[in-house]
Amino acid sequence: MVKGPGLYFDIGKKARDLLYKDYQSDHKFTVTTYTSTGVAITSTGIKKGELFLADVSTQLKNKNITTDIKVDTNSNLLTTVTVDEPAPGLKTIFSFIVPDQRSGKVELQYQHEYAGISTSIGLTANPIVNFSGVIGNNVVSLGTDLAFDTASGNFNKLNAGLSYTQSDLIASLTVNDKGDTLNASYYHIVSPLTSTAVGAELSHSFSSNENTLTIGTQHALDPLTSVKARVNNYGRASALIQHEWRPKSLFTISGEVDTRAIEKSAKIGLALALKP
């Protein structure tokens, strides 16, 4: 793909990843193996309290076509076929879930030096049509994200966003929930050598007049070990440490504590991902 403003989902993504990615309070175990023909098979198990969820997924790549098939504990079969660059800058994604006959969807993504467009439509008689578009360049971009329900004739989603990017910082502003929620995020690289960065996100709800502020940081202790921490204005503090004990195999332990109710037990999450 050519460099440019990216897609709408990329607005604020760096800050979201720093503040929320890899944090969890569950126990997760993932194992990936490869067959002699190059087919990747991934088994995942998640323990949520007394509930245990599992799924098995298979990924097959043939030139520029990637097929992903996943089966979960509810006997749902999710199939996704991705065609990467049938034309320059274009990506086509087709997905459906069995036995849900209304889950079929076709998505087209197009990235240009000065624009990024993503549109999808459900394969039903009265589909939901999604459209997101971003214009700009590698520094400034402006975009919108819409979802229209052809059955009711209403917009289910109506969002807009603005992003500003420099070599060491990214700032973004988005309006979500049909104008009810305003989000501002900031991501700043402090030291590239140690992957040290800080980030913050401020969310304001106009309907409830509530503000949520989350700040966080990350730092690499060594090339294989990194730590992250975050806290919000409601007193919830979280931290995690992640270690790559072999290439592409990660062990992550994270915890969260409510500083306003310190007598409550802390939430501890463990994640182990094994790849050959």
Side-chain angles (χ1 to χ4, degrees), residues 56-68:
V56 177
S57 60
T58 301
Q59 184 179 84
L60 173 63
K61 293 185 178 182
N62 182 16
K63 296 182 179 179
N64 65 331
I65 301 177
T66 302
T67 304
D68 294 278

Side-chain angles (χ1 to χ4, degrees), residues 18 186-190 196-200 216-218:
L18 186 150
Y186 177 77
Y187 174 84
H188 178 63
I189 300 175
V190 179
T196 304
V198 295
T217 185
Q218 68 180 22

Side-chain angles (χ1 to χ4, degrees), residues 246-269:
R246 57 177 296 178
K248 299 181 181 180
S249 294
L250 303 172
F251 175 73
T252 307
I253 179 170
S254 60
E256 179 182 277
V257 62
D258 187 349
T259 60
R260 297 184 180 181
I262 201 68
E263 70 279 1
K264 295 183 179 179
S265 300
K267 298 179 180 179
I268 304 296

Side-chain angles (χ1 to χ4, degrees), residues 95-256:
S95 62
F96 62 91
I97 301 175
V98 177
D100 187 356
Q101 298 179 353
R102 299 181 301 172
S103 63
K105 184 175 69 173
V106 175
E107 179 179 357
L108 294 176
Q109 296 179 2
Y110 176 72
Q111 295 195 54
H112 183 267
E113 185 178 0
Y114 299 109
I117 297 173
S118 176
T119 181
S120 66
I121 183 171
L123 301 180
T124 62
N126 298 297
I128 294 178
V129 181
N130 292 272
F131 172 84
S132 65
V134 179
I135 59 173
N137 50 35
N138 296 333
V139 178
V140 179
S141 60
L142 175 67
T144 185
D145 184 26
L146 312 172
F148 181 74
D149 189 344
T150 58
S152 64
N154 297 321
F155 282 97
N156 294 343
K157 184 168 57 176
L158 184 58
N159 305 326
L162 173 68
S163 178
Y164 175 76
T165 304
Q166 285 293 332
S167 59
D168 61 344
L169 66 88
I170 301 174
S172 66
L173 184 68
T174 59
V175 180
N176 304 311
D177 303 323
K178 300 181 182 179
D180 183 63
T181 305
L182 180 67
N183 290 324
S185 66
Y186 177 77
Y187 174 84
H188 178 63
I189 300 175
V190 179
S191 174
L193 294 178
T194 57
S195 298
T196 304
V198 295
E201 182 184 61
L202 175 63
S203 177
H204 174 74
S205 173
F206 292 99
S207 60
S208 62
N209 199 31
E210 292 184 353
N211 296 313
T212 302
L213 175 64
T214 305
I215 59 175
T217 185
Q218 68 180 22
H219 175 73
L221 300 177
D222 58 53
L224 301 177
T225 308
S226 62
V227 293
K228 294 172 65 175
R230 72 179 183 193
V231 64
N232 64 19
N233 59 315
Y234 294 104
R236 296 189 180 276
S238 306
L240 70 80
I241 181 170
Q242 186 175 78
H243 178 68
E244 187 177 9
W245 56 281
R246 57 177 296 178
K248 299 181 181 180
S249 294
L250 303 172
F251 175 73
T252 307
I253 179 170
S254 60
E256 179 182 277

